[in-house]
Amino acid sequence: MCISFATADNAKESKPFYLRDIEVGGTTLPFSPVTVVVMLISFIMLTGIFNTSKSTATASHILIEGTNAEERLNKMKQEIGTNYTKFQSLAKAHSICPSGKADGGKLGTFKPGMM
């Protein structure tokens, strides 16, 4: 009958390498490679959460009223297409909002969560 006792070296070697403490030279650091990866991922996620967003959006509008407002807006939409200069001229001509008349429908620039 053979009896073997686990020594500290045997116990250390029985763990997969990614669960063993990191050894640098003669020093053993009290964490594993898995711990390092988890800390790095946590750091990256936290910096992403607390990092202020640099993206912005500029909003413009044409405000009209009346019984056929939707129909008129659809005609304007077809006329505008992707031409922003045309949008500005129609906003100045038809919008009942003061910003529409004064500045071609511009409402300003906004950061995420402002509007």
Side-chain angles (χ1 to χ4, degrees):
M1 178 188 315
C2 180
I3 298 175
S4 65
F5 296 96
T7 63
D9 289 335
N10 288 345
K12 184 170 58 172
E13 294 300 321
S14 67
K15 289 183 182 178
F17 76 94
Y18 52 86
L19 294 178
R20 294 182 202 149
D21 290 344
I22 297 174
E23 292 183 13
V24 179
T27 306
T28 301
L29 303 174
F31 43 84
S32 68
V34 171
T35 305
V36 173
V37 170
V38 169
M39 288 189 316
L40 285 173
I41 291 171
S42 300
F43 176 76
I44 291 167
M45 291 175 66
L46 285 173
T47 56
I49 291 170
F50 295 114
N51 193 6
T52 57
S53 178
K54 293 167 182 50
S55 65
T56 59
T58 302
S60 302
H61 76 295
I62 299 174
L63 181 63
I64 63 172
E65 62 184 1
T67 55
N68 62 346
E70 188 174 351
E71 182 181 317
R72 289 175 27 213
L73 284 173
N74 284 330
K75 285 181 185 177
M76 286 183 205
K77 184 177 176 183
Q78 288 176 350
E79 189 178 338
I80 293 167
T82 58
N83 186 345
Y84 186 66
T85 306
K86 185 68 174 175
F87 175 89
Q88 288 178 316
S89 65
L90 287 173
K92 287 179 182 179
H94 300 287
S95 185
I96 61 171
C97 180
S99 68
K101 291 283 187 194
D103 205 12
K106 288 184 184 176
L107 295 175
T109 302
F110 302 92
K111 292 181 181 179
M114 286 180 62
M115 198 167 183

